[in-house]
Amino acid sequence: MALVIVGVYIGGIAAFHGKFLKNTDINGMDVSDMTVEEAEKLIREQAEDYQITLKERGNNSETITAEEIGYHYVSNGEIENFQKSQPYALWFVSYFRPASYAFETAVQYDETLLKEKADSLKCFDKATAKAPEDAKMVFQESENKYVIKKEKQGAKLKQKKFWKLLTETISERDGLLDLEKESCYQTPKVTSDDKDLNQLVENLNHYVDIEITYCFGNQKEVLDGSVVKDWLTYDKKGKVLVKDGAISDYIASLADKYDTYDKPRKFKTSDGTYVTVEGGSYGWKIDQTAEAEELTKLMEEEPHMERTPIFAQEADSWENGDMGDTYVEVDLTKQHLWMYKEGKLIVESDFVSGTMTPARVTPPGIFRLYYKKSPAVLRSTKPGDSYETPVSFWMPFNGGIGFHDATWRGSFGGQIFWNSGSHGCINLPYSAAQTIYQNIEKDYLVICFYRNGEYKY
């Protein structure tokens, strides 16, 4: 019996001579009963089959194979040394006690090929590997306020970290690199829960939460967040500032659109035709400085209101070229006038205006009556053209020019004014002057115009 045991023992030694014992693995591969050459072949073949899977964002994946990067096994004698180190005399122990060996430098790859392969990966394609986008504030037109647009993670990799992880994964012969899990993607610097960003949005919304409806007769201009948003800026601390000149520029734009002072405008005459009237001192004129100051104060209060701007000068109406329905219409071409009060014709009459010479011509324009006086004496001390004329009714509206009766004239209207007109005043028959005097009052509107550019001499 002893001889049998000895024989088996010796036979075991002979059987495992030059081979690995039972239950032996190298780098996780079973090499039991294999020679060194067979084990190296197995490891070489395994190296040739190696591939690494990149698990990418968005459930995408890509694979890098051993062939693509020149990945191969290089023997440095490790396997032979493992085999020689095994205790053959105790071969029978291997049935009960597994042996595991590992080495890290047995494979090599071409770094240039790996770099070329990495550069060709879809995760580096500029068309798809978008950089992350920070959360940011945007103005939402539908709600007239600022909101935070959530950040976008994108799909752009941190290249240095990716390369480091990739080479480590290959060196460790791992078959999977989870880029998301390894935090390999670039991340937004500002997210939607950023405290400073949220505070800035709140500060900005304080200013854009405004709705002032400026009223110009039946026309309206709404000042709200869609306009105010372009006036705002802010400093590094998130303090909101109104850009220099923004408010005054806005008020100036209103004045440019709605002021009528010193601007030509259309007027509907008594015969239903339209003429362009200009000149004089009449019309709407916004007090731009005062209104800009008031609007600056209002913006702090988040107002929702209708408002009439502060005017430096007001007209009587926004209708009929701002001239309304109460005025004296003086047609210098037809030498005829009409007086209206609240749209009702009070009187009409021919007249004689100033002689068509530079010194005497009656200027066109829109004026207001200064006052009225009865009786009065009209005087001039101008050398060569002095006079002193008593009249019953005197109603000045443009410097020394006004309405008055002219009883010394035997006729009115027609072409008299071309060569035998007044010194500039509107000469009227006594009865017409009297009726006008009885109905006119201070600041009454007087509209003087020539038709078809006939203001010539």
Side-chain angles (χ1 to χ4, degrees):
M1 184 65 178
L3 290 174
V4 172
I5 294 173
V6 171
V8 171
Y9 172 73
I10 294 174
I13 293 176
F16 287 107
H17 180 71
K19 295 181 179 181
F20 286 99
L21 299 177
K22 293 291 185 180
N23 294 322
T24 301
D25 70 75
I26 300 176
N27 287 352
M29 292 178 290
D30 186 4
V31 294
S32 302
D33 298 319
M34 290 186 183
T35 64
V36 171
E37 291 76 14
E38 289 171 335
E40 287 186 342
K41 180 182 179 184
L42 176 63
I43 291 174
R44 187 177 297 109
E45 289 174 348
Q46 187 201 43
E48 292 172 355
D49 291 337
Y50 173 75
Q51 65 179 27
I52 179 172
T53 298
L54 303 177
K55 187 177 180 181
E56 301 169 1
R57 180 168 284 173
N59 294 322
N60 297 320
S61 64
E62 295 185 77
T63 301
I64 300 174
T65 66
E67 183 179 4
E68 289 173 324
I69 61 174
Y71 184 94
H72 62 284
Y73 167 71
V74 177
S75 175
N76 290 321
E78 297 96 334
I79 295 176
E80 183 178 1
N81 290 336
F82 292 156
Q83 194 273 330
K84 288 180 178 179
S85 69
Q86 288 197 311
Y88 294 103
L90 300 176
W91 57 267
F92 53 89
V93 176
S94 66
Y95 284 90
F96 312 103
R97 186 183 299 168
S100 293
Y101 301 93
F103 56 90
E104 297 181 358
T105 59
V107 291
Q108 292 181 357
Y109 60 89
D110 189 320
E111 288 193 5
T112 300
L113 291 177
L114 179 60
K115 185 66 169 61
E116 291 175 355
K117 176 60 181 178
D119 289 342
S120 70
L121 293 170
K122 290 182 180 179
C123 57
F124 281 106
D125 187 345
K126 292 181 179 179
T128 56
K130 300 294 185 181
E133 295 181 17
D134 288 348
K136 60 183 179 180
M137 60 182 183
V138 295
F139 189 79
Q140 196 166 64
E141 299 286 349
S142 61
E143 297 185 26
N144 264 339
K145 70 176 185 179
Y146 283 95
V147 297
I148 294 176
K149 184 178 181 182
K150 189 175 176 60
E151 68 276 5
K152 290 184 178 179
Q153 294 299 328
K156 191 170 185 178
L157 294 168
K158 302 173 184 176
Q159 292 197 23
K160 289 184 178 180
K161 184 170 184 178
F162 169 79
W163 184 255
K164 180 176 181 293
L165 289 170
L166 180 61
T167 55
E168 288 177 354
T169 302
I170 294 173
S171 297
E172 294 169 2
R173 296 179 298 280
D174 197 344
L176 176 66
L177 175 55
D178 189 330
L179 301 179
E180 189 82 72
K181 185 178 180 180
E182 296 293 340
S183 302
C184 208
Y185 288 98
Q186 294 182 15
T187 56
K189 295 179 181 178
V190 181
T191 59
S192 57
D193 59 356
D194 182 85
K195 181 180 178 181
D196 292 337
L197 179 61
N198 279 270
Q199 185 62 57
L200 177 59
V201 168
E202 181 180 338
N203 294 345
L204 286 166
N205 281 333
H206 170 78
Y207 284 89
V208 299
D209 183 20
I210 179 175
E211 188 173 313
I212 297 178
T213 302
Y214 277 101
C215 300
F216 301 90
N218 292 327
Q219 300 186 71
K220 300 181 186 299
E221 291 285 335
V222 178
L223 174 62
D224 59 18
S226 65
V227 178
V228 172
K229 67 179 175 63
D230 296 326
W231 301 357
L232 306 178
T233 184
Y234 49 90
D235 60 21
K236 293 180 180 179
K237 295 182 179 180
K239 181 181 178 181
V240 178
L241 307 168
V242 178
K243 296 176 184 176
D244 289 344
I247 293 177
S248 58
D249 286 349
Y250 175 74
I251 300 301
S253 73
L254 293 181
D256 184 62
K257 186 174 181 179
Y258 292 102
D259 276 7
T260 58
Y261 173 79
D262 202 28
K263 291 181 180 179
R265 56 264 207 199
K266 295 291 184 182
F267 169 70
K268 187 176 182 180
T269 67
S270 293
D271 64 10
T273 60
Y274 285 86
V275 296
T276 298
V277 294
E278 57 184 314
S281 57
Y282 175 82
W284 293 102
K285 185 178 182 181
I286 295 175
D287 187 331
Q288 296 187 38
T289 300
E291 184 58 30
E293 290 176 355
E294 185 63 23
L295 180 55
T296 300
K297 296 175 184 176
L298 287 172
M299 285 187 64
E300 295 293 336
E301 302 171 4
E302 304 178 63
H304 288 70
M305 62 187 293
E306 285 195 351
R307 176 172 176 76
T308 300
I310 300 170
F311 286 100
Q313 178 175 299
E314 297 185 16
D316 290 344
S317 172
W318 289 100
E319 305 299 323
N320 196 18
D322 82 6
M323 287 162 275
D325 61 4
T326 298
Y327 51 81
V328 180
E329 175 186 343
V330 183
D331 189 329
L332 294 166
T333 297
K334 291 185 176 182
Q335 294 286 286
H336 196 83
L337 63 71
W338 298 260
M339 181 180 188
Y340 293 94
K341 182 173 287 187
E342 296 180 353
K344 180 181 178 181
L345 179 63
I346 302 301
V347 64
E348 65 174 295
S349 173
D350 286 338
F351 62 80
V352 176
S353 62
T355 304
M356 294 296 278
T357 63
R360 293 189 173 189
V361 65
T362 303
I366 310 169
F367 311 96
R368 289 189 182 277
L369 191 75
Y370 298 152
Y371 60 89
K372 63 181 181 179
K373 184 177 181 181
S374 177
V377 177
L378 308 182
R379 294 184 177 87
S380 172
T381 57
K382 187 176 181 180
D385 194 22
S386 61
Y387 58 84
E388 184 171 312
T389 305
V391 296
S392 296
F393 309 104
W394 171 231
M395 296 159 279
F397 58 81
N398 180 17
I401 296 173
F403 300 114
H404 63 78
D405 54 295
T407 55
W408 57 88
R409 288 189 180 276
S411 61
F412 297 87
Q415 302 298 308
I416 298 172
F417 74 109
W418 278 100
N419 300 303
S420 187
S422 69
H423 288 79
C425 286
I426 305 298
N427 290 183
L428 289 162
Y430 183 91
S431 61
Q434 183 181 39
T435 302
I436 292 174
Y437 188 89
Q438 291 171 345
N439 287 277
I440 206 166
E441 57 192 26
K442 183 179 182 299
D443 292 330
Y444 210 93
L445 198 60
V446 179
I447 306 164
C448 301
F449 60 87
Y450 291 89
R451 293 174 179 267
N452 305 318
E454 292 181 2
Y455 179 35
K456 300 175 183 177
Y457 39 80

